[in-house]
Amino acid sequence: MVKDEKRLRIGVLGCGPIAQAAHFESCTKAKNAELFAICDVADDLRERMAATFAPTKSFSDYRAMLDDPDVDAVIIATSDTFHVEASRMALDAGKHVLCEKPLGVAVEEVEGLRAAVESSGKVLQVGHMKRFDPGIETAKAFVDTEMGEKLGYKGWYCDNTHRYAMTDAVQPLIVTSANARKPAVNPKADLKRYYMLAHGCHMLDTARHLGGPIEAVEAHLTQRFGAYCWFVTAYFADGTVGQLDLTVAVRMDWHEGFQIYGENGSVLGKIYNPWFYKSSDVDIFRESDGGWHRTLGADGHFYRRQVEAFARVILDGADMVGADIDEGLASVRAMVAVARSAETGGRLVRLADVTGAV
Ligand SMILES: NC(=O)c1ccc[n+]([C@@H]2O[C@H](COP(=O)([O-])OP(=O)(O)OC[C@H]3O[C@@H](n4cnc5c(N)ncnc54)[C@H](O)[C@@H]3O)[C@@H](O)[C@H]2O)c1
């Protein structure tokens, strides 16, 4: 594969599952970027990843990676609670940041990070990689340029009980280490919170990406047989009322998608388990010609396409398609709002009013 001459030199913080399954390969395959450095406190894990992916440099100390003048940008691939601190350190060191989702776990810490992004003048993109799904790209283009006024938005994200059998079949064997740095409290100790952070943020970013800003929500949570089902009424800024469904885990196949009804047409989207790297099936109906249209989207490597788009913003001054700091913050506010509404039996919660953690 031929790489561009001008390439973003990326250092990846964290050699955990997401780095192994997505970011190392993405940086290696991206035309306009390279896997310049990797970093992990776990020596055994880092050395094995260095042997497999052959970065130019390898660091046990994040500070040392940030001090390297040849590192242009970092990908933050650590546990959620470390995102804001690691992003802030990178910005202070003059590095651009692609931070895994969710950008943070509480409103205030992300508000603080926004000030750091503004004063740094550097690019910060949040890893909402579904925006780089070619099917979702066609939906976004239709909504923005042809659909006219929106009437309604439905979005659903339902992780399924069989997902590990499916992902184990297609992902590389994930290497773990007893020496990995983990948060003081296991994120999975509170599943309600974990599911909102891990999955809710995807559903809410897709809804905001396609439906525009959300102003308020009313949410109900049902918990049965170990499964969690949030049904959310979302009030979009343009007056559209949305229905969102976050369910973990459904007893069937992975079930994710959206439906948007508009003045000049409609869009129906079926999104696949991301690890299949299969573009969403997005059917667009145009009222003007009475016909359906679907793009194949042959290149469904959302994670690599996300890195390439990030590099284009930095190297070529391209517009940011990924979620920026404001959108990362809006996702965190939306998650907090859904959580607070569900705790209070479906009370209307405005995103602008929420404080605290998910
Ligand atoms: N976009 C997606 O589809 C997707 C999918 C899965 C996970 N994620 C996100 O990816 C993130 C990481 O998930 P994971 O399961 O790989 O995490 P993990 O905690 O298992 O692994 C993180 C690694 O980073 C290392 N690390 C942490 N802080 C460090 C520091 N300061 N210096 C050096 N090394 C450090 C740890 O030792 C560990 O090996 C999470 O935020 C998660 O939400 C995103």
Side-chain angles (χ1 to χ4, degrees):
M1 186 202 129
V2 182
K3 289 249 193 190
D4 292 349
E5 212 156 285
K6 196 165 66 165
R7 296 191 293 272
L8 189 73
R9 286 165 305 192
I10 296 179
V12 177
L13 173 64
C15 293
I18 189 66
Q20 294 177 40
H23 296 310
F24 294 151
E25 180 186 280
S26 295
C27 293
T28 309
K29 286 185 173 174
K31 271 179 78 68
N32 56 356
E34 62 184 61
L35 183 65
F36 183 77
I38 66 172
C39 175
D40 204 298
V41 290
D43 294 335
D44 51 343
L45 184 56
R46 188 189 64 256
E47 282 163 15
R48 193 150 162 195
M49 290 306 124
T52 306
F53 293 96
T56 306
K57 294 185 183 175
S58 173
F59 296 92
S60 60
D61 177 20
Y62 183 42
R63 166 61 57 204
M65 183 164 84
L66 293 178
D67 284 344
D68 189 319
D70 290 333
V71 172
D72 301 318
V74 294
I75 293 180
I76 313 266
T78 64
S79 191
D80 304 345
T81 45
F82 302 140
H83 287 179
V84 167
E85 183 203 7
S87 297
R88 188 190 284 274
M89 284 175 69
L91 294 168
D92 288 349
K95 311 297 183 193
H96 304 282
V97 174
L98 172 57
C99 182
E100 259 306 340
K101 45 54 56 176
L103 184 52
V105 297
V107 171
E108 293 75 10
E109 62 167 359
V110 184
E111 289 277 12
L113 183 61
R114 180 164 61 174
V117 173
E118 277 165 12
S119 61
S120 73
K122 297 293 164 190
V123 171
L124 181 140
Q125 183 175 311
V126 188
H128 287 298
M129 80 300 173
K130 288 174 192 284
R131 292 177 175 224
F132 302 96
D133 173 329
I136 294 177
E137 286 174 343
T138 62
K140 172 76 174 156
F142 180 73
V143 167
D144 285 354
T145 63
E146 291 186 64
M147 184 181 238
E149 230 182 336
K150 285 192 278 306
L151 183 64
Y153 179 96
K154 282 199 271 187
W156 54 96
Y157 184 116
C158 309
D159 193 358
N160 64 323
T161 42
H162 303 277
R163 68 86 61 99
Y164 290 108
M166 298 168 123
T167 52
D168 285 353
V170 293
Q171 283 184 342
L173 184 69
I174 301 296
V175 181
T176 56
S177 166
N179 304 315
R181 182 184 176 213
K182 295 285 180 188
V185 178
N186 178 1
K188 292 189 180 172
D190 179 351
L191 284 178
K192 189 167 62 170
R193 182 166 178 270
Y194 175 73
Y195 290 153
M196 185 57 64
L197 289 165
H199 303 295
C201 78
H202 278 307
M203 180 187 73
L204 291 161
D205 185 70
T206 302
R208 292 188 61 269
H209 188 50
L210 297 175
I214 296 172
E215 287 192 334
V217 296
E218 292 164 344
H220 293 275
L221 169 63
T222 306
Q223 264 176 264
R224 281 184 192 157
F225 49 82
Y228 296 70
C229 175
W230 286 263
F231 277 179
V232 181
T233 302
Y235 298 96
F236 288 90
D238 71 355
T240 306
V241 178
Q243 292 295 335
L244 308 179
D245 157 9
L246 174 66
T247 304
V248 188
V250 285
R251 272 57 177 166
M252 57 178 193
D253 199 352
W254 182 276
H255 181 54
E256 185 183 355
F258 55 88
Q259 299 182 351
I260 317 169
Y261 312 130
E263 193 179 0
N264 305 320
S266 299
V267 187
L268 310 182
K270 174 178 171 51
I271 303 173
Y272 291 90
N273 179 316
W275 300 106
F276 293 148
Y277 289 158
K278 177 166 168 37
S279 298
S280 297
D281 292 337
V282 172
D283 292 305
I284 295 176
F285 186 87
R286 286 187 173 80
E287 193 68 358
S288 56
D289 64 5
W292 290 97
H293 179 267
R294 179 189 289 189
T295 300
L296 172 63
D299 174 11
H301 203 311
F302 331 114
Y303 297 97
R304 192 206 81 247
R305 300 182 86 238
Q306 161 177 262
V307 168
E308 287 175 343
F310 174 63
R312 277 197 299 275
V313 175
I314 296 159
L315 299 176
D316 310 329
D319 289 340
M320 198 189 289
V321 178
D324 63 13
I325 178 73
D326 289 325
E327 292 171 307
L329 174 60
S331 279
V332 173
R333 283 189 175 279
M335 288 188 291
V336 175
V338 170
R340 289 302 95 80
S341 177
E343 285 158 11
T344 51
R347 182 172 61 87
L348 183 88
V349 178
R350 297 180 58 77
L351 272 60
D353 298 338
V354 292
T355 55
V358 174

